[in-house]
């Protein structure tokens, strides 16, 4: 499985093509370097470098790419099974359609759903510097210029799924991308951005909000939310607003871009929805069964857009069945 990471390796941070890449799990600092790699097996990784990595993405038979930014408290070998499960569900729905590519950012690996969205906030914020560089590499490739004069092209549709604190990683990455690389604003790089149980303020997508650039980088943004998500319902001593995007959706749909769609998941059963472990949002009654959220998300990937049930409110209510 191909992946992008800003977790530092035990080896030097200097890129060396085809070297072994071993995560230093004792180091949870968010590095400014970004690495383009492949997982060959459990705890076995190889660094490819950005050009070879993007060559692989472009040459693969899958017709589109879905980048997956995981939530908090996930070590690399916690993330890969989730990404593989997501990949397997995609293959079961439509073979060779979607290639899942995770972004691995530094988490401390502690367990507990209530703590999950708190302890890693600083790492999520600081990871923006590194992933901004990855976004710039993607843009170069989109423009048939990898930045080295060697050329190249990546014509496949690109989408991105951010879960939990992964939404904060995305927001900070886009902010740093704009500040350090694109002062005139970020381009529409992605067809879809899917925000699932996003750990961002419910005003984040509004003008001036931390996630304003999310609305600029995608043709369509879909926000999946559930009021009873256990990872998003308690601010406690951390003094963070309880009303967050993954908890109640955008605070005011009139203040977010018109291509933002809200999806209310409250009516979906506990075994099928965002509340289950705050991570297995994509599975149903068994790990091999697609959940309601996944089916909605995959239909959007296939159709190229999300259609709201209530066009006036730009809202869809997901239900069992």
């Amino acid at each position: 499985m191909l992946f992008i990471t800003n977790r530092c390796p035990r080896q030097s941070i200097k890129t060396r093509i085809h070297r072994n890449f071993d995560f230093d799990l004792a180091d949870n600092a968010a590095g400014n370097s970004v690495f383009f790699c492949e997982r060959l097996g459990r705890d076995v990784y190889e660094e490819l470098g950005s050009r070879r990595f993007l060559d692989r993405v472009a040459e693969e038979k899958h017709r589109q790419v879905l980048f997956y930014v995981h939530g908090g408290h996930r070590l690399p070998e916690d993330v890969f099974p989730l990404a593989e499960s997501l990949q397997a569900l995609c293959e079961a729905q439509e073979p060779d359609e979607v290639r899942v590519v995770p972004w691995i950012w530094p988490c401390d690996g502690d367990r507990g759903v209530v703590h999950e969205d708190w302890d890693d906030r600083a790492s999520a914020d600081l990871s923006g510097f590194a992933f901004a560089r990855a976004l710039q590499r993607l843009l170069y490739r989109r423009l048939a210029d990898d930045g080295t004069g060697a050329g190249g092209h990546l014509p496949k549709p690109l989408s991105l799924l951010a879960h939990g604190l992964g939404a904060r990683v995305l927001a900070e990455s886009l902010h740093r991308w704009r500040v350090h690389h694109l002062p005139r604003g970020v381009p529409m790089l992605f067809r879809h951005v899917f925000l699932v149980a996003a750990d961002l303020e419910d005003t984040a997508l509004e003008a001036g909000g931390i996630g304003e650039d999310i609305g600029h980088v995608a043709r369509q943004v879909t926000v999946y939310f559930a009021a009873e998500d256990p990872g998003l319902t308690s601010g406690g001593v951390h003094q963070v607003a309880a009303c967050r995007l993954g908890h109640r959706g955008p605070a005011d749909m009139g203040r977010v871009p018109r291509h933002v769609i809200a999806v209310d998941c409250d009516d979906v059963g506990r075994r099928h929805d965002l509340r289950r472990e705050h991570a297995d949002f994509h599975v149903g009654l068994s790990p091999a069964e697609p959940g309601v959220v996944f089916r909605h998300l995959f239909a959007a990937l296939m159709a190229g857009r999300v259609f709201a049930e209530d066009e006036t409110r730009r809202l869809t209510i997901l239900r069992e069945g």
Side-chain angles (χ1 to χ4, degrees):
M1 172 171 278
L2 299 174
F3 67 95
I4 305 172
T5 187
N6 70 319
R7 286 198 76 125
C8 292
R10 291 193 181 123
Q11 297 85 359
S12 165
I13 63 171
K14 181 178 175 60
T15 291
R16 297 183 187 279
I17 307 305
H18 299 310
R19 69 165 174 172
N20 292 334
F21 185 97
D22 300 315
F23 286 109
D24 185 354
L25 299 182
D27 183 358
N28 296 317
N32 289 330
S33 299
V34 64
F35 306 96
F36 296 80
C37 305
E38 182 177 14
R39 180 182 188 250
L40 303 177
R42 183 175 178 86
D43 296 320
V44 181
Y45 318 105
E46 178 184 354
E47 184 174 10
L48 301 179
S50 62
R51 190 187 306 176
R52 289 170 177 78
F53 180 96
L54 293 171
D55 283 346
R56 287 279 300 276
V57 171
E59 293 165 2
E60 280 194 337
K61 57 188 176 182
H62 291 81
R63 291 176 284 273
Q64 54 182 308
V65 180
L66 178 64
F67 294 102
Y68 166 48
V69 191
H70 60 87
H73 284 236
R74 301 285 165 185
L75 295 176
E77 285 299 334
D78 298 323
V79 176
F80 288 121
L82 291 172
E84 288 175 340
S85 174
L86 191 59
Q87 182 70 66
L89 291 176
C90 289
E91 293 298 324
Q93 293 291 310
E94 187 69 34
D96 301 334
E97 179 64 32
V98 177
R99 168 59 72 194
V100 177
V101 178
W103 291 10
I104 309 292
W105 56 279
C107 301
D108 62 15
D110 292 342
R111 300 301 182 189
V113 69
V114 174
H115 295 290
E116 176 177 330
D117 287 337
W118 307 119
D119 295 345
D120 295 322
R121 295 175 68 85
S123 289
D125 290 346
L126 294 172
S127 291
F129 290 89
F131 287 117
R133 298 172 64 189
L135 289 166
Q136 187 70 0
R137 292 296 185 196
L138 285 173
L139 179 61
Y140 281 146
R141 194 59 180 253
R142 269 296 204 215
L143 298 175
D145 176 8
D146 66 1
T148 66
H153 192 40
L154 183 58
K156 299 180 180 183
L158 307 177
S159 297
L160 187 143
L161 163 62
H163 179 255
L165 268 177
R168 194 171 188 91
V169 174
L170 173 62
E172 289 293 339
S173 299
L174 293 174
H175 173 68
R176 294 300 167 189
W177 191 29
R178 174 169 53 81
V179 168
H180 298 295
H181 299 277
L182 300 165
R184 295 185 179 181
V186 301
M188 193 174 66
L189 182 62
F190 299 114
R191 174 181 285 181
H192 295 285
V193 166
F194 303 102
L195 302 178
V196 181
D199 191 355
L200 291 170
E201 293 79 5
D202 59 3
T203 57
L205 300 180
E206 298 177 11
I210 186 178
E212 177 184 1
D213 289 320
I214 294 175
H216 299 155
V217 81
R219 187 175 76 178
Q220 195 162 45
V221 179
T222 306
V223 179
Y224 296 91
F225 66 94
E228 296 185 21
D229 189 312
L232 295 172
T233 54
S234 175
V237 298
H238 301 280
Q239 301 297 310
V240 178
C243 291
R244 281 172 283 163
L245 201 58
H247 181 209
R248 55 175 284 178
D252 184 347
M253 292 296 290
R255 297 176 66 89
V256 299
R258 291 196 57 79
H259 57 280
V260 174
I261 304 295
V263 180
D264 185 340
C265 303
D266 273 346
D267 289 349
V268 182
R270 286 185 177 275
R271 297 295 299 279
H272 270 289
D273 71 352
L274 312 186
R275 292 168 280 182
R276 185 175 181 235
E277 298 295 330
H278 188 63
D280 299 337
F281 60 89
H282 55 292
V283 300
L285 294 175
S286 71
E289 177 185 347
V292 178
V293 171
F294 172 81
R295 294 202 302 269
H296 184 273
L297 186 154
F298 192 83
L301 289 171
M302 294 298 295
R305 56 183 50 83
V306 177
F307 299 96
E309 290 180 350
D310 185 337
E311 290 288 350
T312 302
R313 298 169 61 201
R314 287 180 282 150
L315 174 70
T316 291
I317 299 176
L318 288 189
R319 298 177 177 86
E320 298 265 11

